[in-house]
Amino acid sequence: MAKPFFRLQKFLRRTQFLLLFLTAAYLMTGSLLLLQRARVALPQALRAPSSLQALPVATVALGVSLLDGRSLHDPHSSPDLILDVDTLRSPLARLPPGIRWPRRNRSSLRRRWLHLTSDPQGPPTVGPEAPGPASHSQGTYLGCFSEEGQERTLKGAVFYDLRKMTVAHCQDACAERSYVYAGLEAGAECYCGNRLPVTRVSLKECNQECKGEKGTVCGAVRRLSVYSVGLQQPGSRKRWTATYRGCFPLPENITHTFSSSLTQANVTVETCSGFCSQKEFPLAILRGWDCYCAYPTPQFSLRDAVDGALCSQAPEAQGLPGYCEVYQTPVQDTRCTDRKFLPNKSKVFVALSSFPGAGNTWARHLIEHATGFYTGSYYFDGTLYNKGFKGEKDHWRSRRTICVKTHESGRREIEMFDSAILLIRNPYRSLVAEFNRKCAGHLGYAPDRNWKSKEWPEFVNSYASWWSSHVLDWLKYGKRLLVVHYEELRHSLVPTLREMVAFLNVSVSEERLLCVENNKEGSFRRRGRRPHDTEPFTPEMKDLINGYIRTVDQALRDHNWAGLPREYVPR
């Protein structure tokens, strides 16, 4: 008798949960239907506030709370559903603050896709008033401009911010690099320059609100709201200044090599740098009292520096006629900053594969600027998107990008790609770089407490084997590979990058490669003093890592590749 009674009790218990689940689902479905109707009728509701009061408040509150508690934190939730709820909170649909960018982890590096593509026509302006110019910005609003041409006018210091873009944020970024104009596009994109776009359009065409500043206009699709930069706000980062590059021999034909010049008495580094920055040249060149502006070119590549004494500016020397001092101005070399998606879907699906911490992001920066095409990613990292990697938001299988970043290994994940650039870095440096990223983000350093805890030895024991297996799997299952060592890319950037670009079947000019070399650091190099300068690897860790290094070195030789660079072993 006890057994049937136990079964009955179990059935009733399940039934209670089933009824509770069905009731919640019924209420949520009804709430969503009402919210959808409210979305359609929202413009009228704003003009007649009483119409929204007709909604059953309890039902709407239940639907919103259910979404806030579950859907907003679920990466697989419908983005349309999330935006519908957010419409009730804001005059423009935007990414809800509850969503966090997904992070990679060791056990599962599967892609979590946030579908954030926008309507080609741009989101409609909801409400009785369209957004207007920023009332409290440091500069002046200059109007709405079109960027429909083949090449942008404002193309320096580009960055994006999907959640917090403001006019002041863009102005400060442009002021830091000594630009005089800041242009905002599509609510979240910032562009800088020293020349205004040619085509001015109606103010009404710039109708999108800044993502981080309600009521303020931030352009539209292919439309720029342009502001003068003005003074930097208190607390902003300091403006960049001219950086000394060295003393170099003058080219044979100065007039042909140097594009602009300034001659005046008592010319200074600041005067020359300011003159060249205004004209958007990355190099300011001093020869006696003469100031020249230029780009790096094959005739003036900045690879043959000489003793600085030959460029002495002492009165008795006044600069020897055959040499000149070269300074890097704050502005970017914009000959290689224009990027776009592939005009047609790529027939060859190319991976840019590496172990985490091996410099994949930096390699993407170099490839994008060299080829002029965006790179994609198997993952989605909002921080990278905000720094200008626009391909982050594109689906990794769209084939609209020149190559796709991945840290995956395993036969199924590798055989999805037709070919791959396999980027390998010294495991000692890769492990330190990835540990810093996991503990302090892309640009930070892990605090001392993380290095001293058991977290660091556990990380090494787990990730060191992954460094080895990643390379071995790609050597075994990769269909067509180009092996690139991070250290060779740093020491011989232009030749190595030329080989990578040829592998991607893109032809580029020598001037563009020199432009990339001039902008080689990008936005993801850790700067400043490392808080942890002592040797973090114990003898046991070194024995473990060196064993994996020897295994990978032999595997590369077995597959007819050169072995690992000599600096890898012994440590």
Side-chain angles (χ1 to χ4, degrees):
M1 187 69 186
K3 198 169 184 180
F5 179 79
F6 176 78
R7 288 180 178 176
L8 177 63
Q9 188 181 25
K10 190 175 180 181
F11 171 77
L12 291 175
R13 189 179 302 161
R14 289 180 177 175
T15 304
Q16 289 177 355
F17 283 110
L18 180 62
L19 289 174
L20 181 62
F21 173 80
L22 291 175
T23 303
Y26 175 79
L27 291 174
M28 187 170 67
T29 303
S31 301
L32 295 178
L33 290 173
L34 290 172
L35 289 171
Q36 180 65 25
R37 293 178 183 177
R39 183 190 182 196
V40 174
L42 192 55
Q44 291 81 7
L46 289 172
R47 288 191 291 270
S50 60
S51 62
L52 270 180
Q53 296 174 1
L55 290 172
V57 177
T59 308
V60 173
L62 173 62
V64 173
S65 65
L66 286 171
L67 287 172
D68 283 344
R70 298 174 186 176
S71 300
L72 295 183
H73 296 285
D74 181 1
H76 303 293
S77 298
S78 167
D80 295 331
L81 176 65
I82 293 173
L83 291 179
D84 285 350
V85 175
D86 201 62
T87 305
L88 293 177
R89 302 175 181 166
S90 166
L92 286 175
R94 64 183 185 277
L95 187 66
I99 291 184
R100 295 184 229 174
W101 305 119
R103 293 186 177 182
R104 308 189 299 268
N105 57 61
R106 171 68 178 91
S107 59
S108 174
L109 282 171
R110 292 183 174 83
R111 179 180 180 83
R112 293 183 179 182
W113 173 244
L114 298 181
H115 185 68
L116 297 170
T117 52
S118 59
D119 185 357
Q121 301 300 323
T125 302
V126 181
E129 295 182 2
S135 58
H136 54 277
S137 65
Q138 296 294 317
T140 305
Y141 182 58
L142 301 176
C144 184
F145 294 82
S146 171
E147 283 281 32
E148 297 284 3
Q150 293 291 325
E151 186 175 334
R152 286 184 172 274
T153 306
L154 303 181
K155 54 183 179 179
V158 177
F159 76 97
Y160 315 114
D161 196 328
L162 285 171
R163 301 177 66 186
K164 298 179 181 179
M165 177 62 74
T166 65
V167 173
H169 189 190
C170 182
Q171 287 175 318
D172 281 347
C174 295
E176 184 185 358
R177 299 295 293 263
S178 296
Y179 289 108
V180 297
Y181 299 121
L184 295 105
E185 180 176 327
E189 303 177 9
C190 174
Y191 301 89
C192 309
N194 288 334
R195 293 179 293 115
L196 282 174
V198 176
T199 308
R200 186 187 294 267
V201 297
S202 169
L203 294 178
K204 294 181 180 179
E205 295 189 31
C206 288
N207 55 15
Q208 290 193 26
E209 200 173 46
C210 299
K211 297 294 185 181
E213 193 172 10
K214 290 185 178 180
T216 301
V217 64
C218 275
V221 176
R222 303 299 294 176
R223 296 292 183 269
L224 282 171
S225 296
V226 180
Y227 295 81
S228 62
V229 168
L231 299 175
Q232 283 185 294
Q233 295 187 2
S236 301
R237 290 178 293 184
K238 294 182 180 179
R239 288 178 182 262
W240 290 21
T241 56
T243 304
Y244 182 63
R245 294 289 299 271
C247 179
F248 296 88
L250 281 168
E252 294 182 2
N253 190 334
I254 296 177
T255 305
H256 180 265
T257 306
F258 299 155
S259 303
S260 188
S261 63
L262 170 68
T263 302
Q264 67 178 44
N266 300 322
V267 67
T268 64
V269 174
E270 291 74 17
T271 303
C272 186
S273 174
F275 173 74
C276 295
S277 294
Q278 187 177 10
K279 294 183 174 294
E280 296 192 8
F281 285 100
L283 299 181
I285 300 156
L286 279 171
R287 177 199 175 203
W289 302 127
D290 295 330
C291 167
Y292 301 97
C293 307
Y295 295 105
T297 62
Q299 296 76 30
F300 194 65
S301 62
L302 304 184
R303 292 177 187 162
D304 50 355
V306 297
D307 187 350
L310 295 173
C311 290
S312 172
Q313 290 293 316
E316 61 272 14
Q318 290 297 319
L320 295 176
Y323 301 94
C324 60
E325 289 182 317
V326 178
Y327 293 85
Q328 186 83 31
T329 68
V331 302
Q332 286 179 299
D333 188 338
T334 56
R335 295 175 298 169
C336 57
T337 56
D338 56 304
R339 289 161 289 168
K340 60 185 178 181
F341 290 103
L342 293 172
N344 302 305
K345 287 188 176 182
S346 174
K347 296 180 180 179
V348 181
F349 196 29
V350 185
L352 177 61
S353 177
S354 74
F355 174 77
N360 198 303
T361 299
W362 180 59
R364 290 176 65 188
H365 164 79
L366 298 176
I367 290 171
E368 287 195 4
H369 285 75
T371 64
F373 297 113
Y374 290 117
T375 59
S377 176
Y378 189 74
Y379 321 99
F380 178 82
D381 190 327
T383 303
L384 294 182
Y385 179 86
N386 289 342
K387 288 290 185 179
F389 290 92
K390 210 166 185 177
E392 281 287 320
K393 204 172 71 170
D394 205 52
H395 193 278
W396 67 280
R397 302 198 76 162
S398 69
R399 292 180 180 255
R400 298 200 308 154
T401 54
I402 194 69
C403 61
V404 176
K405 164 188 173 178
T406 181
H407 299 310
E408 301 295 309
S409 53
R411 182 171 183 172
R412 186 177 67 86
E413 288 77 6
I414 293 172
E415 289 184 346
M416 293 187 299
F417 296 95
D418 301 316
S419 59
I421 297 174
L422 178 59
L423 183 63
I424 305 174
R425 186 182 185 184
N426 188 323
Y428 286 99
R429 298 188 180 276
S430 291
L431 290 170
V432 170
E434 178 61 7
F435 190 71
N436 280 322
R437 188 202 65 81
K438 287 177 71 68
C439 296
H442 286 284
L443 300 179
Y445 291 101
D448 198 53
R449 65 177 182 273
N450 291 105
W451 297 100
K452 292 180 179 179
S453 70
K454 63 179 182 181
E455 182 181 0
W456 168 241
E458 290 176 353
F459 175 86
V460 172
N461 289 333
S462 174
Y463 273 60
S465 61
W466 184 16
W467 176 86
S468 172
S469 64
H470 180 272
V471 177
L472 297 178
D473 282 354
W474 278 92
L475 290 176
K476 183 177 181 180
Y477 300 117
K479 300 174 184 175
R480 176 174 169 262
L481 289 180
L482 173 65
V483 175
V484 174
H485 296 288
Y486 173 89
E487 292 74 17
E488 292 179 357
L489 187 59
R490 288 211 71 90
H491 298 155
S492 303
L493 190 144
V494 171
T496 308
L497 185 57
R498 188 185 293 114
E499 187 179 3
M500 295 167 67
V501 169
F503 182 82
L504 295 170
N505 199 28
V506 178
S507 59
V508 297
S509 65
E510 191 69 17
E511 283 78 9
R512 186 160 187 126
L513 290 176
L514 290 172
C515 171
V516 177
E517 185 179 39
N518 204 36
N519 293 336
K520 64 181 179 182
E521 296 302 343
S523 302
F524 279 94
R525 183 181 180 185
R526 291 182 173 88
R527 302 181 186 276
R529 179 181 175 273
R530 293 176 176 84
H532 188 86
D533 290 331
T534 58
E535 174 62 67
F537 297 97
T538 65
E540 293 77 13
M541 292 178 185
K542 293 180 181 179
D543 290 341
L544 176 69
I545 295 171
N546 287 342
Y548 289 129
I549 288 175
R550 295 186 186 95
T551 301
V552 170
D553 181 72
Q554 187 58 50
L556 285 169
R557 297 178 190 279
D558 291 344
H559 286 81
N560 298 320
W561 292 99
L564 294 173
R566 293 182 59 186
E567 65 182 79
Y568 282 37
V569 286
R571 175 118 175 149

